[in-house]
Amino acid sequence: MKKSAFLFVTYIAIAFYFFSCSSTNNDSISLDEKSKAALLTSINKFNTAFQKGDVTTLANMITSDYIHTNSSSKAIRKENWLNYLHKRAAQIQSGDIQVLSYKMDEIKTIFHGNSAIVTGKVTVITKKDNTLTENSYRVTNIWIYESGNWKRAAFHDGKIK
């Protein structure tokens, strides 16, 4: 296993441990089926907001200590990711970039208390300078159920196409 992949897996394991051991009021909850089903709705809402460049929705759907890691960069915290999103939203609004499709499938979920690990495949089709680009990624997300809402706490992807 590459060192960076090992470090990422180690970080996710440690982060998940701390999320599951945090001292919020939601620790002892056992999620009912309705709350679990709401996670898929939240994922779809999040992905639609990302496709459209809706930074306000995305900012409200991530935890205060959010961490984001792409296969092409080091991990960044919430503020840096939101800065990236603002630049991306401006490109979408100006038409410099068109996100024609943003689809997540092959979704698998494991629940632990008020947390969930979600894996899947994301396929994105964009148009820039009249050039279509299609990329696919394997993704891992950690979601936390806080105050009746699902929030994404961590993200990592690896490009597969």
Side-chain angles (χ1 to χ4, degrees):
M1 183 183 305
K2 291 183 179 179
K3 183 178 179 182
S4 62
F6 175 77
L7 290 174
F8 171 73
V9 170
T10 302
Y11 175 80
I12 290 296
I14 292 169
F16 187 74
Y17 172 78
F18 282 112
F19 284 127
S20 65
C21 294
S22 65
S23 60
T24 65
N25 293 332
N26 294 320
D27 281 349
S28 63
I29 67 169
S30 176
L31 296 173
D32 58 19
E33 291 307 310
K34 183 177 177 183
S35 299
K36 289 179 179 181
L39 176 59
L40 187 55
T41 301
S42 294
I43 291 168
N44 290 332
K45 180 179 177 182
F46 193 98
N47 289 340
T48 299
F50 186 77
Q51 179 178 359
K52 294 179 178 181
D54 181 352
V55 180
T56 301
T57 297
L58 294 169
N60 289 325
M61 293 187 73
I62 59 177
T63 60
S64 60
D65 55 355
Y66 180 73
I67 189 161
H68 190 95
T69 310
N70 291 102
S71 57
S72 60
S73 66
K74 293 181 179 181
I76 59 174
R77 303 303 293 196
K78 180 178 184 171
E79 182 180 336
N80 291 338
W81 191 62
L82 291 174
N83 289 337
Y84 158 76
L85 289 176
H86 284 292
K87 292 174 190 172
R88 182 178 175 275
Q91 291 176 311
I92 291 170
Q93 290 173 354
S94 71
D96 289 343
I97 295 176
Q98 295 176 10
V99 183
L100 304 176
S101 176
Y102 188 92
K103 181 178 125 184
M104 184 173 181
D105 58 7
E106 300 179 21
I107 297 171
K108 303 288 183 202
T109 306
I110 300 172
F111 292 94
H112 294 277
N114 68 327
S115 305
I117 299 171
V118 179
T119 61
K121 178 183 173 188
V122 171
T123 304
V124 184
I125 301 172
T126 57
K127 184 177 180 182
K128 183 177 181 179
D129 299 327
N130 289 322
T131 301
L132 288 178
T133 303
E134 181 176 343
N135 291 307
S136 295
Y137 305 88
R138 289 280 171 211
V139 298
T140 302
N141 297 228
I142 297 176
W143 287 81
I144 307 297
Y145 195 70
E146 292 184 336
S147 304
N149 295 299
W150 283 102
K151 291 192 173 195
R152 195 162 86 174
F155 172 90
H156 183 268
D157 73 14
K159 190 171 184 179
I160 55 176
K161 177 181 171 191

